[in-house]
Amino acid sequence: MNREVDLGALRSRAHAFRKTILKIITRAGSGHPGGSLSVIDLLTALYFHQLRHDPRNPAWPDRDRVALSKGHACPAWYVVLAECGYFDPAHLWTMRRMGSILQGHPDMARTPGVEISTGSLGLGFSAAIGMALAGKRDGRPYRVYAVLGDGECQEGSVWEGAMFAAHYGLDNLTAIVDRNGIQQTGRTEERIRLDPLADKWRAFNWDVQEIDGHEMGAIISALDRAAAAAGRPHAIVARTIKGKGVSFLEGVAGYHGKALTEDELARALAELDRGPRG
Amino acid sequence: MAITLARTAATKPTRDAYGEAIVEVARDNPRVVALTGDLRDSNRLEAFAAEYPDRFFECGIAEQNMVGVAAGLATCGKIPFVSSFAAFSPGRCYDQIRVLVAQTGLNVKLVSTHGGLTVGEDGMSAQAVEELAMMRSLARMTVIVPADAVETAQVIRAVAEHVGPVYVRLGRVGVPVLFDDSYRFSIGKAPVLRDGSDVTLAACGIMVAEALEAARLLEAEGISARVLNVSTLKPLDVTAILAAARETGAIVTAEEHTIYGGLGGAVCEMVAAHHPVGVERVGVQDRFGESGPPRPLMEAYGLTAGEIAAAARRAVSRKRAP
């Protein structure tokens, strides 16, 4: 694909999204900031560069589909969906409240743009495989993207799905693994070792790319390449940093599932207002 | 509404009727697809796979992913029929069913064969005696246990037309063909197969034939038993169950399942809330199964016409007690 890509614009968007993500989680009083910040560059590139979709017509049969299998990172997804126009951004400030269209984990019945409800890990990936299978059998041109956490890859059903998608040659499917190295209670390699993670996907006969998941140019290239290569499903193992963008969140397991206090939020926003770091 | 019962001694496994019916249903509805976890023979899906190879998805021995794939297919307008053994689906994939099928309300049909003790020699790990309770506890889930092959064919057609999640439990072994072509199944209706005034025998699945036999035994003793075919466990037929409570004053439930949380549980919950009467539950008494031929297992676990009749006598005498 030779589309003109404005990497600076994508970076600016992702930077702004980081601030909104932290604000809405603090407003909600709970949520998952760490994994939302690690995945936001990937989601930004996906929605504002790659995806063929029409937020005004979310049921368009040929739309590309996204499943956020790491459903706990939904604050990042909600911010992106709102910016795309799937719903009024005012809803972001109601996240996790009773009656909100934005539940603590994605609920397809409530939120426009959410293709499948997730929360329990591994589930969205299998559902994405079903969408890709339907697309193949119906001869539809859409692509399907499943966004997984690395800790999520400890779920056995992920590998059931990996076998299945390779067996059926679902080259319209791309799994993006947010390899931030940290799960709820510590480093993935200290809980249950995942490495060599990319080799695992290769061994399951997937087309695998390893990239820096915060480098917009690399993300764009990987998405483009995955969309062009035929015959096998695609995995993009994206090395990321949990809590990316805020010094005191980066690489800290403690912010997997904890909102920032008002004071912490002020410090984080001050850092982010100084612009993207390094 | 009189139900004509078949007069033959023929038997047929309900899973055989599934295999035939889904081919018919798929002919009329191109959205119907079928999935199995390496059980196309046992699930009786070989004819479907041969006739509709593009609509048949072998999922391998991986039930969790199978249910997730089915949910994804359903989001794209397919009507997936997902089959395995009742021990494995829902046993191996309950969370996928809970989150991706029940909570979403997606149009997925879970049709499991080899339910209950009559799986036989494979023993307790293969004998699902608790999965109806698991499925009944899920909001939005319809739960159906057909009594014979004729009803099964109609159930498969009905659930394909019904929009929403359904669990259907079928069996491995031949069961008596109770109904003829005049039988009409409809979701949520528990037809009276035989009327009576002293006690109601509410049964599902293979226990319906036993309940009919029990009613004959009781008639010889002067006890008039009504027999209900409660093939839809959820939504339970409120009208039929409460009419039974009011008009006969005593109920016996009979199921090839633990007495907790299945048909017996459902009937107790309903009559306790709306019209309390004595309920005797015939079923598996808080135990697991074991290896053996189907009929001796049913006798050893008390799943017989004789046990139902004995329970009916207890229920009737409770009614008369001060």
Side-chain angles (χ1 to χ4, degrees), chain B residues 231-298:
Chain B
S231 42
T232 308
L233 266 66
K234 190 181 181 185
L236 195 63
D237 187 338
V238 187
T239 309
I241 299 297
L242 293 187
R246 272 194 310 273
E247 292 160 18
T248 69
I251 299 177
V252 175
T253 60
E255 61 197 309
E256 189 189 7
H257 184 269
T258 170
I259 56 169
Y260 300 119
L263 175 60
V267 169
C268 286
E269 287 162 16
M270 182 163 289
V271 300
H274 299 289
H275 192 100
V277 296
V279 178
E280 294 283 332
R281 290 165 297 160
V282 171
V284 179
Q285 305 288 319
D286 204 21
R287 352 168 15 192
F288 292 111
E290 64 186 284
S291 292
R295 191 71 217 175
L297 279 170
M298 287 174 71

Side-chain angles (χ1 to χ4, degrees), chain A residues 2-146:
Chain A
N2 292 314
R3 272 175 286 170
E4 193 78 19
V5 181
D6 185 343
L7 294 176
L10 288 171
R11 287 188 196 109
S12 299
R13 275 192 194 277
H15 189 73
F17 290 155
R18 286 194 152 81
K19 292 192 270 189
T20 311
I21 288 166
L22 293 176
K23 286 183 202 167
I24 65 172
I25 294 174
T26 294
R27 172 69 69 91
S30 64
H32 297 79
S36 296
L37 293 188
S38 66
V39 82
I40 188 61
D41 295 308
L42 297 160
L43 289 178
T44 302
L46 191 56
Y47 274 86
F48 295 96
H49 167 72
Q50 190 67 30
L51 225 55
R52 293 172 65 255
H53 66 136
D54 179 0
R56 284 160 305 176
N57 182 14
W60 177 35
D62 285 341
R63 71 190 181 280
D64 288 344
R65 287 149 168 86
V66 177
L68 186 68
S69 203
K70 52 171 291 185
H72 56 278
C74 58
W77 202 16
Y78 295 158
V79 167
V80 167
L81 290 173
E83 180 71 15
C84 288
Y86 279 98
F87 51 82
D88 183 341
H91 287 293
L92 293 172
W93 306 98
T94 70
M95 182 178 73
R96 287 181 167 249
R97 285 206 209 139
M98 283 196 52
S100 175
I101 69 162
L102 304 179
Q103 294 286 295
H105 288 83
D107 180 348
M108 64 187 288
R110 292 180 189 248
T111 312
V114 168
E115 299 282 357
I116 188 73
S117 303
T118 52
S120 290
L121 295 173
L123 272 56
F125 179 51
S126 291
I129 293 166
M131 297 174 199
L133 184 64
K136 281 277 170 196
R137 289 299 154 106
D138 292 345
R140 291 194 178 275
Y142 64 78
R143 302 192 54 78
V144 182
Y145 296 88

Side-chain angles (χ1 to χ4, degrees), chain B:
Chain B
M1 182 186 63
I3 303 281
T4 319
L5 295 176
R7 290 174 188 284
T8 69
T11 65
K12 181 174 177 175
T14 49
R15 61 174 169 149
D16 289 8
Y18 169 47
E20 295 159 12
I22 191 163
V23 172
E24 298 287 323
V25 167
R27 197 168 288 148
D28 297 341
N29 190 340
R31 294 163 63 207
V32 168
V33 300
L35 297 81
T36 182
D38 193 32
L39 292 170
R40 68 180 77 187
D41 49 356
S42 303
N43 294 151
R44 296 295 190 253
L45 288 172
E46 287 177 313
F48 183 97
E51 192 147 343
Y52 304 104
D54 288 345
R55 292 156 64 183
F56 173 75
F57 303 115
E58 175 60 69
C59 295
I61 307 165
E63 294 77 17
Q64 297 183 61
N65 182 62
M66 174 164 66
V67 172
V69 167
L73 288 165
T75 67
C76 299
K78 306 295 181 195
I79 305 175
F81 279 70
V82 179
S83 288
S84 181
F85 289 162
F88 307 146
S89 174
R92 297 296 296 264
C93 47
Y94 190 64
D95 192 41
Q96 280 77 7
I97 293 171
R98 175 177 158 269
V99 174
L100 292 176
V101 178
Q103 291 182 357
T104 60
L106 282 168
N107 198 16
V108 174
K109 316 303 171 183
L110 303 153
V111 182
S112 291
T113 66
H114 296 62
L117 286 178
T118 51
V119 165
E121 287 79 356
D122 280 352
M124 73 176 165
S125 69
Q127 291 162 329
V129 294
E130 58 289 288
E131 100 286 10
L132 297 174
M134 295 168 73
M135 299 307 272
R136 255 195 79 227
S137 67
L138 292 172
R140 299 195 179 130
M141 185 65 68
T142 294
V143 181
I144 301 173
V145 188
D148 78 345
V150 172
E151 185 171 39
T152 299
Q154 294 190 24
V155 165
I156 297 305
R157 189 163 288 282
V159 303
E161 287 166 8
H162 172 84
V163 178
V166 181
Y167 176 71
V168 180
R169 184 220 252 194
L170 304 176
R172 181 180 81 86
V173 298
V175 292
V177 176
L178 301 175
F179 307 121
D180 63 23
D181 290 339
S182 67
Y183 184 77
R184 291 291 172 266
F185 167 80
S186 82
I187 294 172
K189 289 277 174 277
V192 176
L193 303 187
R194 175 188 170 118
D195 208 357
S197 53
D198 295 328
V199 61
T200 296
L201 314 179
C204 65
I206 65 169
M207 297 307 289
V208 174
E210 300 296 324
L212 286 165
E213 175 61 21
R216 283 186 284 271
L217 298 174
L218 293 165
E219 184 177 36
E221 303 167 19
I223 296 176
S224 165
R226 176 181 301 183
V227 178
L228 287 182
N229 176 23
V230 192
S231 42
T232 308
L233 266 66
K234 190 181 181 185
L236 195 63
D237 187 338
V238 187
T239 309
I241 299 297
L242 293 187
R246 272 194 310 273
E247 292 160 18
T248 69
I251 299 177
V252 175
T253 60
E255 61 197 309
E256 189 189 7
H257 184 269
T258 170
I259 56 169
Y260 300 119
L263 175 60
V267 169
C268 286
E269 287 162 16
M270 182 163 289
V271 300
H274 299 289
H275 192 100
V277 296
V279 178
E280 294 283 332
R281 290 165 297 160
V282 171
V284 179
Q285 305 288 319
D286 204 21
R287 352 168 15 192
F288 292 111
E290 64 186 284
S291 292
R295 191 71 217 175
L297 279 170
M298 287 174 71
E299 284 161 10
Y301 282 75
L303 304 180
T304 60
E307 285 292 333
I308 297 172
R313 287 180 210 110
R314 289 196 300 274
V316 169
S317 65
R318 276 171 70 180
K319 204 164 47 160
R320 288 171 190 147

